[in-house]
């Protein structure tokens, strides 16, 4: 586990996420208002995927706020977000290690 709050994945390093977070700025043009910081991690994942030329599986979702120093912060309503992602067909959801996840149902 890295100090960014995100598990390291082959091909995606915390230093690259930190580098982008420190040097990058995303401006969403066209009058679209984005008020949910939970999309930050998805945007960073898309940029890193493009930069590294490694595709991200279309069944993977990312939910988290990315701070200016590259840390991945917890977001609110994580259970609802995961539930909605499952309804939309996502099989894997990456979240911050600081989010409290619901207990898995056994049986």
């Amino acid at each position: 586990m890295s100090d960014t709050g995100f598990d390291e994945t082959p091909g995606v390093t915390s230093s690259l996420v930190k580098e982008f977070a420190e040097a990058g700025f995303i401006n969403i043009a066209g009058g679209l208002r984005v008020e949910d910081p939970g999309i930050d991690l998805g945007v960073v994942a898309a940029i890193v995927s493009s930069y590294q030329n490694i595709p991200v599986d279309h069944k993977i979702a990312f939910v988290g706020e990315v701070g200016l120093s590259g840390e991945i912060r917890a977001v609110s309503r994580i259970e609802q977000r995961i539930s909605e992602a499952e309804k939309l067909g996502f099989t894997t959801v990456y979240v911050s290690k600081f989010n409290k996840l619901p207990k898995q149902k056994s049986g």
Side-chain angles (χ1 to χ4, degrees), residues 92-107:
T92 305
V93 179
Y94 287 97
V95 301
S96 170
K97 70 178 179 181
F98 301 111
N99 269 112
K100 301 289 186 220
L101 296 177
K103 299 257 188 216
Q104 294 287 334
K105 295 178 183 175
S106 60

Side-chain angles (χ1 to χ4, degrees), residues 3 8-9 16-18 25 31 44 48 56 62-63 68 84 92-93:
D3 61 343
E8 301 252 348
T9 304
L16 184 59
V17 172
K18 279 186 179 183
F25 178 78
V44 170
V48 170
V56 175
F62 297 87
V63 180
L68 292 176
E84 291 299 318
T92 305
V93 179

Side-chain angles (χ1 to χ4, degrees), residues 3-4 12-26 44 47-48 51-52 66-72:
D3 61 343
T4 61
V12 179
T13 65
S14 61
S15 61
L16 184 59
V17 172
K18 279 186 179 183
E19 181 181 324
F20 172 76
E22 292 171 1
F25 178 78
I26 301 293
V44 170
I47 291 169
V48 170
Y51 180 79
Q52 298 267 327
V66 179
L68 292 176
S69 63
E71 75 275 12
I72 310 299

Side-chain angles (χ1 to χ4, degrees), residues 1 5 10 28 37-38 43 47 51 54 59 69 79 86 97 105:
M1 186 79 59
I28 300 178
V43 171
I47 291 169
Y51 180 79
I54 300 172
K59 297 285 187 180
S69 63
E79 291 178 29
E86 288 173 346
K97 70 178 179 181
K105 295 178 183 175

